[in-house]
C-alpha cells in the first residue's frame, strides 16, 4: 500500500477516475434505459386510452388519421375495429380483440412499471456508491464536513451560550 502524500494523491486520482469513468457512466446508462422504458409505458397507456374509447363508442366503423412517417398524415377508415393489430416487439404484430388487447396492454404496462422501478432502485444504489466514494475522497484529502450550525460557537443553541 502506498503511503505519504504521493500515495494519497495517487489514490485520490484513482477514486476520482472511478467516479467519472465507472459510476457516473453506469448512472447515465441506467437513467437512459429508464427513460426508454418510460417512453414505452407512455405509448402503451395511450394505446389503452384509445382502445377504451373504441370499446365505449360501440361504432362499427372507425375514422382516424395515420402517420406515414415524418408527420405526414393520411385519413384512414377501419370498417371493423373489433380486432386490431398490436405491436409486440421487434416488428412482430398480433391480431387481438379489443378485450385481449386491453389485457395485453395491462400486463405489458405492469411489467414496464416493474422494470422502471428496478432501474430507479439501481440509480439510487449507484448514487449512494458515488456518495460513499466522495466521502472516502474527503477523508483522503483531510477535508471535513461543514459543521452543523448548532455546533458553531456563535450559534445561539451552542452549549457555550
Amino acid at each position: 500500500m502506498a503511503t505519504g502524500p504521493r500515495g494519497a494523491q495517487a489514490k485520490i486520482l484513482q477514486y476520482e477516475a472511478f467516479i467519472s469513468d465507472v459510476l457516473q457512466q453506469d448512472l447515465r446508462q441506467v437513467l437512459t434505459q429508464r427513460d426508454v422504458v418510460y417512453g414505452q409505458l407512455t405509448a402503451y397507456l395511450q394505446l389503452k386510452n384509445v382502445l377504451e374509447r373504441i370499446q365505449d363508442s360501440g361504432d362499427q366503423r372507425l375514422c382516424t388519421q395515420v402517420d406515414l412517417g415524418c408527420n405526414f398524415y393520411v385519413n384512414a377508415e377501419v370498417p371493423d375495429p373489433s380486432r386490431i393489430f398490436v405491436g409486440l416487439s421487434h416488428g412482430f404484430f398480433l391480431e387481438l380483440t379489443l378485450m385481449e388487447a386491453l389485457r395485453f396492454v395491462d400486463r405489458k404496462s405492469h411489467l414496464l412499471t416493474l422494470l422502471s422501478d428496478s432501474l430507479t432502485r439501481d440509480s439510487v444504489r449507484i448514487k449512494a456508491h458515488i456518495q460513499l466514494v466522495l466521502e472516502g475522497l474527503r477523508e483522503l484529502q483531510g477535508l471535513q464536513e461543514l459543521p452543523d450550525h448548532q455546533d458553531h460557537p456563535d450559534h445561539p443553541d451552542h452549549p457555550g451560550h
Side-chain angles (χ1 to χ4, degrees):
M1 181 172 161
T3 58
R6 278 196 165 155
Q9 190 63 30
K11 281 290 183 194
I12 289 169
L13 292 175
Q14 284 179 330
Y15 285 132
E16 288 174 345
F18 180 70
I19 289 172
S20 65
D21 296 344
V22 177
L23 293 177
Q24 288 180 342
Q25 183 65 26
D26 288 350
L27 182 60
R28 275 191 292 277
Q29 287 176 351
V30 166
L31 294 177
T32 299
Q33 289 173 349
R34 188 181 68 176
D35 289 344
V36 168
V37 170
Y38 282 158
Q40 292 172 343
L41 187 56
T42 300
Y44 277 107
L45 293 177
Q46 288 174 342
L47 176 60
K48 181 178 180 177
N49 288 336
V50 170
L51 292 174
E52 288 173 342
R53 272 191 259 137
I54 291 171
Q55 193 175 33
D56 291 343
S57 72
D59 289 340
Q60 294 300 319
R61 209 177 74 140
L62 174 67
C63 294
T64 187
Q65 289 188 332
V66 177
D67 184 1
L68 296 179
C70 298
N71 290 324
F72 183 76
Y73 289 88
V74 295
N75 291 327
E77 183 178 315
V78 180
D80 181 17
S82 64
R83 298 183 71 77
I84 63 166
F85 284 90
V86 176
L88 301 177
S89 69
H90 303 292
F92 289 100
F93 291 83
L94 182 63
E95 185 178 3
L96 301 171
T97 65
L98 293 178
M99 288 303 296
E100 291 170 337
L102 282 169
R103 280 196 306 272
F104 171 78
V105 167
D106 283 341
R107 288 179 183 158
K108 187 71 172 185
S109 298
H110 179 71
L111 290 174
L112 289 171
T113 300
L114 291 175
L115 180 56
S116 70
D117 291 347
S118 173
L119 290 169
T120 298
R121 283 190 301 275
D122 289 347
S123 71
V124 168
R125 201 171 297 122
I126 293 169
K127 288 177 185 177
H129 285 121
I130 289 172
Q131 289 301 316
L132 183 66
V133 174
L134 287 174
E135 187 62 36
L137 277 173
R138 274 192 212 98
E139 284 183 28
L140 277 175
Q141 293 172 334
L143 300 177
Q144 295 181 4
E145 290 284 329
L146 293 175
D148 192 18
H149 291 296
Q150 291 181 350
D151 293 339
H152 196 274
D154 294 335
H155 192 276
D157 293 336
H158 188 269
H161 274 204

